[in-house]
Amino acid sequence: MQSASCLLMTASLVLLGPAPLPADDLASLQGTWRAEAGPTGEVIITLTIEGDRFVRVVETSPRTSFTFRGRLRLDESAKPGTLDWVEIVGPGDEPRADMLGLYQLDGDAFIICSAAPGAARPDALAAGRGLYPSLQTYSRVVVSADEEPLTGDLIALQGNWSGNLGPNGALQASLSIEGRVTKFVIVGPDGQEVLASTGRVQLDESAKPKAMDWIPEGDGSQTLKSIYELNGSSLRVSLGLGRGTSTRPEAFSDDFRTFTLTKVIEDDQPDEIPD
């Protein structure tokens, strides 16, 4: 599946809302940007900017990503312009030191040179000999007309989730959400895959309880209607199962149709944002 990582933000961040924007570089930077890093470009970095808030998702492999969020502070009057990553929160909601940098914006090309966390600002838009100063060139991600930007709970749901379901919790479930693309896998007690479904997710946060639709790939496939409750790193879901149809539940049940998944936090979290 294509990664739309994009570039991720917590529900609390969205509820607070972005700061008002003047007509300056920050206004021009709104949206999603993508860069390739690492020796062979194998690390994909997706940067989403909404107001003065950012979400930076670093994908080190198709199944492993690390999310950093915070605020951007720009001074475009400086030559080159200065960019500060502040109020940074990393994987596991751990606070990180501010990072000082330089930037250059040229249409759909956004160049950022960042110092190490807590270090002095770089002297020029140039990469260091080691990990820092880091130099990355982002390209604007053009969103198709039928693909709206990620908002609200959909941003907080980005990543991998896992949990147990079925009688006595004998089945292991894993859920991956990248953009609006989802993959749901159930593995039996013997380690064999019982179900693997790929499709798209659609949310209605205004519904009471909140509604979640699973739209599988393939023409004629039936949409599975469900309800959900998101509380930080815990996702509670109740599926609408029936004979030949899917009826959305009105409340969370006490049977196998309702289960809880937990956000997967990788053990090998990087101490610093990769170049």
Side-chain angles (χ1 to χ4, degrees):
M1 72 181 64
Q2 284 188 335
S3 174
S5 296
C6 359
L7 318 166
L8 315 84
M9 200 175 292
T10 61
S12 59
L13 184 154
V14 174
L15 290 173
L16 288 173
L21 288 178
D24 56 10
D25 281 354
L26 188 57
S28 300
L29 288 169
Q30 300 300 293
T32 299
W33 301 77
R34 183 179 184 274
E36 297 180 355
T40 60
E42 72 280 5
V43 177
I44 305 301
I45 305 176
T46 307
L47 174 65
T48 298
I49 300 174
E50 183 177 348
D52 63 348
R53 298 171 183 271
F54 75 86
V55 171
R56 195 166 183 250
V57 179
V58 180
E59 296 180 64
T60 55
S61 75
R63 295 183 60 86
T64 305
S65 64
F66 305 94
T67 301
F68 303 84
R69 65 183 188 275
R71 291 180 181 272
L72 289 177
R73 189 166 56 208
L74 304 183
D75 181 1
E76 62 183 278
S77 65
K79 301 300 178 185
T82 63
L83 179 151
D84 299 341
W85 311 88
V86 300
E87 301 178 24
I88 303 172
V89 177
D93 291 333
E94 294 184 4
R96 301 294 179 103
D98 293 349
M99 298 175 63
L100 307 182
L102 303 172
Y103 80 95
Q104 177 180 308
L105 178 61
D106 184 10
D108 290 335
F110 181 28
I111 302 173
I112 305 175
C113 181
S114 299
R121 191 183 310 279
D123 296 326
L125 282 163
R129 294 184 178 180
L131 185 61
Y132 292 101
S134 66
L135 183 68
Q136 290 142 6
T137 299
Y138 290 83
S139 298
R140 186 183 295 278
V141 175
V142 179
V143 180
S144 61
D146 60 348
E147 187 75 23
E148 297 180 356
L150 306 184
T151 59
D153 284 351
L154 192 53
I155 294 176
L157 285 169
Q158 299 298 297
N160 298 314
W161 303 74
S162 68
N164 294 94
L165 53 84
N168 302 317
L171 303 178
Q172 177 70 35
S174 63
L175 170 67
S176 172
I177 300 180
E178 298 182 45
R180 290 176 172 80
V181 178
T182 67
K183 183 174 183 180
F184 187 59
V185 177
I186 298 178
V187 176
D190 57 357
Q192 297 297 311
E193 197 172 87
V194 176
L195 169 70
S197 176
T198 301
R200 297 170 66 81
V201 65
Q202 181 174 295
L203 306 181
D204 182 359
E205 298 181 46
S206 65
K208 304 292 184 183
K210 295 180 178 181
M212 176 184 288
D213 287 347
W214 305 91
I215 307 171
E217 290 181 338
D219 295 336
S221 299
Q222 179 181 295
T223 296
L224 180 60
K225 299 178 180 179
S226 65
I227 57 176
Y228 77 99
E229 181 179 70
L230 180 63
N231 184 13
S233 60
S234 178
L235 172 63
R236 189 184 185 199
V237 178
S238 187
L239 302 176
L241 301 176
R243 292 182 177 274
T245 185
S246 176
T247 302
R248 194 181 315 281
E250 297 181 356
F252 294 95
S253 63
D254 294 326
D255 57 24
F256 68 94
R257 291 174 297 177
T258 296
F259 54 92
T260 299
L261 302 177
T262 302
K263 190 76 173 281
V264 176
I265 304 297
E266 301 292 340
D267 293 333
D268 54 343
Q269 299 168 2
D271 293 331
E272 298 174 331
I273 302 177
D275 183 15

